[in-house]
Amino acid sequence: MLLERIYDEDLAQAGYFIGCQAKSEAVVIDARRDISEYQALAAKHGMRIVAVTETHIHADYLSGTRELAAATGAEVYVSGEGGTEWQYGFEAQRLYDTDTITIGNITIQARHTPGHTPEHLVFLVTDGAFANEPGYLVSGDFVFAGDLGRPDLLDEAAGGVDTRFEGARQLFTSLRKVFLNLPDHVQVHPGHGSGSACGKALGALPSTTVGYERAHAWWSRHLAADDEQAFIEELLDGQPDAHAYFARMKKQNKQGPVVLGQRSPVAELTIDEVAERLQHDEITFVDTRLPAQAHQGTVAGSLNIPDGPKTVTHAAWAYDPETDARPLVLLADGQGAAQSIADRLLRVGIDQTAGYVTTIEGLPRFVPPVIEPSDLADFDAALLLDVRHRGEYAAGHIPGAQQLSAARVLWHQDQLPGSGSIVTYCQSGMRNTVAASALRRAGHHVVELKGSYNAWRESQSEPQTQNTLA
């Protein structure tokens, strides 16, 4: 048996390629939308992808299940659990608790584990050439290394009302019914790692075991004591801000993401063409340089989304394709860099990349305004906005600041003043630059605090002036 983990560092998301060498067939679980890596794995091992499936209706990225099936002819399997409100809106084989997918000697059994979402499945994998019992668990957003999938996302990002409490109770039951009935040796391969917003304390380990989690995970003591209420309280306490774009992902994944098929390479555009389209407000320019470079001068009306470890996440914060039909034009070092960015943006449903340029010379120029921490007290701002997460804000913030995370600010402009300057800050400046550029494009006058919270804190000569209360 072959089991390969395909991991996206940006979204902290894992998919799995499970293959039977004897039959040269494979199943892919939780594929992302740019599918070349799965196809390359199949070619490398001389296998054919015959089935694609997923653990649940994802919120943090756009599923590649339909895309991969269309490209390979594979059969699609999705959860049939969770009730009528949680049924997928496209044609596929439905999986229910204990149903199986078989390829050669490998059996993949679905188990219904509601809690993170009502329809959630995990997959128990048995390598029949080696054993007659499961040895592996692809756990999706059920159990992570050191943590559990959060049950409050339906409230935070999908319009639910107090569904978190029922989700937490379901998670408690799912752990007792499924997870704790597995042997200690079963390897657990989760759907996310450290940095994902789908949990609050995910470990960075790529896998764990049932026995290790049973012995050491925070939740195990509540299960051992059969204390459901204490479990619920600890599970729900301190969950991070959910990204606002999760609501769009939920909707699109439930309906079925558009299948793109073969795409044309991202083309280089002329400066004159881009300048004309900017003049007519037909495109969204994306400056992919680091904030320090963009602050020296960027394109008027552009978004600053640096090309780096969090490009996809930041893009989903700053650009909403449901409300902005203007396609993206990327500033990139060349075709390869532009293509890489465009491919990654597909993972959050940003498909509208019109092309790229390699310079901003000849385009309308804009220098983003910044303010030194030493000048902040005397600056007449309509709002001082902290775009960090709630937990960061609670641990310490600039007095008088209002918190609204960068992941949510574009969708909650009703909480911002209609006029006057907004001074924004994050921890060190990266998230702040992304959020500030998005708000400027939405029509707000935004001034960035240079160096953000770290610089302000260092500027305080008297430690007691720092407000450390929530």
Side-chain angles (χ1 to χ4, degrees), residues 221-235:
R221 66 181 183 275
H222 300 309
L223 270 292
D226 197 25
D227 192 339
E228 181 182 75
Q229 187 56 40
F231 170 86
I232 292 171
E233 290 173 0
E234 185 165 358
L235 176 63

Side-chain angles (χ1 to χ4, degrees), residues 270-346:
T270 68
I271 291 296
D272 288 344
E273 178 184 359
V274 173
E276 183 177 357
R277 296 183 71 178
L278 283 171
Q279 183 178 2
H280 293 93
D281 197 23
E282 295 174 351
I283 56 175
T284 299
F285 193 89
V286 180
D287 189 335
T288 62
R289 298 174 300 166
L290 292 172
Q293 295 170 291
H295 284 161
Q296 297 302 311
T298 185
V299 174
S302 65
L303 298 175
N304 185 200
I305 303 172
D307 183 13
K310 288 294 179 183
T311 303
V312 176
T313 299
H314 292 162
W317 294 355
Y319 178 79
D320 180 9
E322 286 193 323
T323 60
D324 191 344
R326 295 165 290 187
L328 307 185
V329 172
L330 309 173
L331 175 63
D333 290 337
Q335 204 283 328
Q339 191 66 56
S340 173
I341 296 170
D343 288 346
R344 283 178 279 152
L345 292 177
L346 297 179

Side-chain angles (χ1 to χ4, degrees), residues 378-390:
D378 296 325
F379 187 78
D380 184 19
L383 175 66
L384 177 59
L385 184 63
D386 186 326
V387 299
R388 298 175 301 164
H389 295 306
R390 288 178 299 221

Side-chain angles (χ1 to χ4, degrees), residues 142-150 198-203 213 217-219 235 239:
F142 174 40
V143 175
F144 302 126
D147 203 7
L148 301 171
R150 60 190 295 182
C198 290
K200 63 180 178 180
L202 283 71
E213 297 304 308
W218 66 263
W219 50 263
L235 176 63
Q239 291 289 356

Side-chain angles (χ1 to χ4, degrees), residues 33-34 62 260 263 341-352:
R33 203 151 165 248
D34 52 319
L62 205 56
L260 299 172
R263 296 180 295 121
I341 296 170
D343 288 346
R344 283 178 279 152
L345 292 177
L346 297 179
R347 300 174 192 175
V348 289
I350 299 176
D351 306 341
Q352 309 90 328

Side-chain angles (χ1 to χ4, degrees), residues 38-385:
Y38 312 105
Q39 293 171 305
L41 269 175
K44 175 183 176 181
H45 295 288
M47 292 182 176
R48 185 168 63 93
I49 298 172
V50 297
V52 288
T53 188
E54 55 192 59
T55 52
H56 64 295
I57 299 173
H58 301 285
D60 55 323
Y61 72 102
L62 205 56
S63 167
T65 293
R66 297 181 73 230
E67 193 74 36
L68 187 55
T72 61
E75 189 75 47
V76 176
Y77 297 86
V78 297
S79 176
E81 299 281 4
T84 56
E85 293 185 6
W86 289 95
Q87 294 304 299
Y88 287 80
F90 56 89
E91 185 175 347
Q93 295 287 332
R94 262 43 180 183
L95 290 173
Y96 299 90
D97 191 41
T98 73
D99 283 352
T100 59
I101 301 170
T102 302
I103 53 166
N105 296 314
I106 300 171
T107 301
I108 301 170
Q109 184 187 54
R111 295 303 312 271
H112 184 214
T113 51
H116 176 67
T117 59
E119 82 294 348
H120 195 285
L121 301 175
V122 298
F123 295 101
L124 283 167
V125 183
T126 300
D127 181 2
F130 188 74
N132 60 2
E133 63 177 0
Y136 313 89
L137 176 69
V138 177
S139 62
D141 287 23
F142 174 40
V143 175
F144 302 126
D147 203 7
L148 301 171
R150 60 190 295 182
D152 63 320
L153 274 186
L154 304 186
D155 286 355
E156 291 290 314
V161 178
D162 289 338
T163 63
R164 65 190 67 203
F165 302 107
E166 177 59 22
R169 284 189 287 270
Q170 289 178 337
L171 203 52
F172 187 84
T173 300
S174 294
L175 286 166
R176 295 203 315 183
K177 179 181 176 181
V178 177
F179 193 81
L180 294 185
N181 283 321
L182 297 174
D184 282 351
H185 67 263
V186 172
Q187 296 179 20
V188 179
H189 297 272
H192 295 289
S194 179
S196 169
C198 290
K200 63 180 178 180
L202 283 71
L205 293 172
S207 64
T208 182
T209 66
V210 169
Y212 192 83
E213 297 304 308
R214 189 201 312 268
H216 301 293
W218 66 263
W219 50 263
S220 61
R221 66 181 183 275
H222 300 309
L223 270 292
D226 197 25
D227 192 339
E228 181 182 75
Q229 187 56 40
F231 170 86
I232 292 171
E233 290 173 0
E234 185 165 358
L235 176 63
L236 294 179
D237 182 54
Q239 291 289 356
D241 293 311
H243 304 335
Y245 83 89
F246 281 8
R248 175 170 59 87
M249 295 293 94
K250 274 287 184 190
K251 182 174 65 176
Q252 288 182 266
N253 281 327
K254 184 178 179 182
Q255 294 171 345
V258 173
V259 175
L260 299 172
Q262 287 292 113
R263 296 180 295 121
S264 300
V266 178
E268 184 173 7
L269 306 176
T270 68
I271 291 296
D272 288 344
E273 178 184 359
V274 173
E276 183 177 357
R277 296 183 71 178
L278 283 171
Q279 183 178 2
H280 293 93
D281 197 23
E282 295 174 351
I283 56 175
T284 299
F285 193 89
V286 180
D287 189 335
T288 62
R289 298 174 300 166
L290 292 172
Q293 295 170 291
H295 284 161
Q296 297 302 311
T298 185
V299 174
S302 65
L303 298 175
N304 185 200
I305 303 172
D307 183 13
K310 288 294 179 183
T311 303
V312 176
T313 299
H314 292 162
W317 294 355
Y319 178 79
D320 180 9
E322 286 193 323
T323 60
D324 191 344
R326 295 165 290 187
L328 307 185
V329 172
L330 309 173
L331 175 63
D333 290 337
Q335 204 283 328
Q339 191 66 56
S340 173
I341 296 170
D343 288 346
R344 283 178 279 152
L345 292 177
L346 297 179
R347 300 174 192 175
V348 289
I350 299 176
D351 306 341
Q352 309 90 328
T353 301
Y356 74 97
V357 294
T358 59
T359 181
I360 61 172
E361 294 300 322
L363 299 177
R365 186 179 174 84
F366 172 75
V367 178
V370 297
I371 184 173
E372 296 284 347
S374 57
D375 297 328
L376 183 61
D378 296 325
F379 187 78
D380 184 19
L383 175 66
L384 177 59
L385 184 63

